[in-house]
Amino acid sequence: MTDLDGLRRRIDDLLRGIEGELAAAGLARADLFTGMRQRLHAPVRVALIGRVSSGKSTLANALLGVERAPTGIRELTYHVLWLRYAERTALVAHLTDGRAEPHALRDLESLVARARHDADPAVRDYLASIAYLELQDPNPHLARYDLIDTPGLDSYFGEDSRHTLDFLGMTPDQVRGASVARAGDADAVVALFSRGLARSEEVLLDEFAAAGLDSASPLTALGVLTKIERYWPAHDPLAEGRRVAGRIMTRPLARRLLYDLRPVASLVGAAAGTMTEADIHDLAALRHLDEADLTARLRFGPDFVSQAWPGFPVSRDRRAALFRRFGGYGIHLATRLVRAGAGDHATLRAQLTEASGLGSLRRLLVEHFGDRAAWIKLQRLAFEANTLPARFAGDARERAVFERELGRLTQLLVTEHTFEELAVLRLYYEGRLNLTAEQGEELLRVTGQRGHSAASRLGLPDGAGPRELAGRAAERLRCWSALATRPNDGDSRRAARAVRRSYEILLAAG
Ligand SMILES: Nc1nc2c(ncn2[C@@H]2O[C@H](COP(=O)(O)OP(=O)(O)OP(=O)(O)O)[C@@H](O)[C@H]2O)c(=O)[nH]1
Ligand SMILES: [Mg+2]
């Protein structure tokens, strides 16, 4: 079986060797390879992308369980915010001229989001000079992957936002450009579709094309259907969200771009992480009301907040606070859970996290991006290696040295079976392989997409013994050998040969 960590170490050694050779030859471009080497070991970078106000910052907060990224209808995110794990909290502004400046955490909102129109020109110039912001945070959810909250990808901004952009001397294209650059620089993406935007395949395609990410593939892209609370009260939001997402995922284009599309009530998920004892006290007071009556009041949000209802168990101020954080559906759901016995903070938080779809999304992110980090990094490396020749500038002698060294890396990419598996997986997701559904699933399994152990790759239970493993590998090897010689189309034959080789490696390792 391919030892991904071993492969990473070998690539690391090779890249160090290349850096040494380039330095010895007096070439200053060793940094191209150093950057690749560092990325190989860093956590997977996951960018949240989507249109303006699709809920990216709210989802970032929900995933972290704390309010970090500024959100809101009028709180447009102007700068990319890179959230990454560190033992101590620190905020750093990376400027377009390459400098990095530390800031106090309390500056975050004014740096990332809507700037004040009355700020002085020096502040304005400073804001406009920020390339991106980096927030280091000991948040446990960041231990497995970095999160990158990006500005919306629209090329058209509403009037309010446009004023602020004008004020900052920035254009929508610049903001969009920063998002696309960061998303392209990320290892993986979570694409957000707010409920109303996910209606058709064409729209889905537009969203991705607008993002400049039509090369996304299920290996590294997940979708999230947000704002599903709007299905309520006509439907149960999560059930309806699953139905809508399932329908979208039957379309070939969606399957080619996304591994899965998950519905999440992010506002409720975020509230689960940030709710206070006072919130729980109020929700407990609401549980005595008739459920139909409470629903009727909650449906019209502004009424719930502003009406003077004598004798209502929660004051107007507190209703406003609850509504802002939970939304109407969130209050309904939380009250229902309290009524069913979730009285304490930890229980209610856990149940809201699950009922909002956030728990399932968190697990999927760890599974698909955290546990497959080595895979994702190797895929990224192969992609970057292809871009290197275009990024190298030098005279003929320097280019000759560079190409000789790059050739050592390319040689490894061509001969190492893991990269052939990656190439074949891409063909599979692009719909170019003539395989049955079972053969497709077997391809995913044997290449480690369903788990890394030999048993998972062979579709056997975890405790399977060496004889059983070897027997299964030999049997599948025979079957795929037959497929590999079939004179069908070239891509499918290539895939069958790759699978055959994967079984040979598993058999040899057993
Ligand atoms: N009900 C509900 N509201 C949401 C959800 N996600 C976001 N919102 C609301 O939608 C508005 C925009 O949310 P943000 O998280 O700021 O959206 P964004 O994509 O970061 O927006 P920009 O940074 O401006 O592009 C806010 O008022 C959020 O409260 C969700 O899943 N459900
Ligand atoms: Mg935002």
Side-chain angles (χ1 to χ4, degrees), residues 1 5 44 48 57 60 74 98 139 147 177 192 197-198 204 233 294 304 316 357 382 388 416 434 467 469 474 485 497:
M1 186 179 54
D5 288 329
V44 168
L48 302 173
S57 303
R74 295 159 59 85
N139 188 300
L147 269 185
L192 277 77
L197 292 173
L204 200 66
L294 180 61
F304 178 76
R316 242 197 281 197
L388 284 184
E416 179 57 51
N434 189 11
R467 284 181 64 145
L469 293 173
T485 52
R497 286 182 181 159

Side-chain angles (χ1 to χ4, degrees), residues 48-62 69-79 112-113 149-154 157 161 175 179 192 194-195 224-230 263-270 323-330 356:
L48 302 173
I49 59 160
R51 291 202 185 280
V52 167
S53 242
S54 54
K56 301 174 293 295
S57 303
T58 304
L59 182 62
N61 290 334
T71 63
I73 294 171
R74 295 159 59 85
E75 297 292 349
L76 189 80
T77 305
Y78 286 102
H79 287 120
V112 174
D149 183 19
T150 66
L153 288 162
D154 309 36
F157 285 75
S161 315
V175 175
S179 285
L192 277 77
S194 66
R195 188 202 63 117
V224 172
L225 195 64
T226 59
K227 306 199 179 181
I228 54 170
E229 292 97 318
R230 289 190 199 150
V264 177
S266 315
L267 200 64
V268 182
F323 194 82
R324 186 172 48 76
R325 286 231 306 298
F326 286 75
Y329 172 66
S356 63

Side-chain angles (χ1 to χ4, degrees), residues 278-430:
D279 294 337
I280 296 182
H281 177 268
D282 291 340
L283 292 166
L286 290 177
R287 81 178 189 281
H288 299 298
L289 295 175
D290 174 63
E291 195 173 345
D293 180 37
L294 180 61
T295 299
R297 292 174 195 249
L298 284 169
R299 291 179 77 143
F300 303 105
D303 282 2
F304 178 76
V305 171
S306 62
Q307 291 287 320
W309 290 320
F312 197 77
V314 178
S315 74
R316 242 197 281 197
D317 281 356
R318 287 294 311 153
R319 273 185 261 153
L322 269 190
F323 194 82
R324 186 172 48 76
R325 286 231 306 298
F326 286 75
Y329 172 66
I331 297 174
H332 159 84
L333 177 65
T335 314
R336 178 175 265 193
L337 293 172
V338 171
R339 222 180 263 130
D344 67 280
H345 205 132
T347 310
L348 186 56
R349 184 172 58 210
Q351 293 190 2
L352 278 175
T353 302
E354 288 311 313
S356 63
L358 180 68
S360 145
L361 178 68
R362 274 198 186 132
R363 288 189 289 276
L364 181 64
L365 284 172
V366 168
E367 223 173 75
H368 201 62
F369 295 147
D371 294 349
R372 289 168 66 258
W375 264 99
I376 290 174
K377 291 289 168 184
L378 293 173
Q379 144 138 334
R380 173 90 207 163
L381 179 106
F383 167 80
E384 280 199 10
N386 282 332
T387 69
L388 284 184
R391 286 158 61 199
F392 182 81
D395 61 27
R397 183 197 70 85
E398 289 170 336
R399 184 159 279 279
V401 177
F402 171 78
E403 281 180 0
R404 184 191 71 210
E405 293 303 315
L406 180 61
R408 292 167 60 195
L409 177 60
T410 316
Q411 176 68 16
L412 183 138
L413 297 182
V414 171
T415 51
E416 179 57 51
H417 183 60
T418 301
F419 291 103
E420 179 61 7
E421 288 180 326
L422 274 167
V424 164
L425 282 169
R426 264 198 172 270
L427 292 174
Y428 168 76
Y429 282 123
E430 284 165 11

Side-chain angles (χ1 to χ4, degrees), residues 74-127:
R74 295 159 59 85
E75 297 292 349
L76 189 80
T77 305
Y78 286 102
H79 287 120
V80 167
L81 176 63
W82 177 21
L83 298 146
R84 55 190 287 238
Y85 186 84
E87 277 176 22
R88 282 195 197 157
T89 307
L91 175 63
V92 181
H94 294 268
L95 307 184
T96 46
D97 65 8
R99 280 181 304 138
E101 287 201 348
H103 281 270
L105 195 58
R106 64 174 178 278
D107 294 343
L108 180 62
E109 177 144 1
S110 60
L111 289 172
V112 174
R114 210 158 67 98
R116 288 191 320 266
H117 291 234
D118 59 350
D120 70 47
V123 173
R124 181 192 63 197
D125 292 347
Y126 183 71
L127 290 174

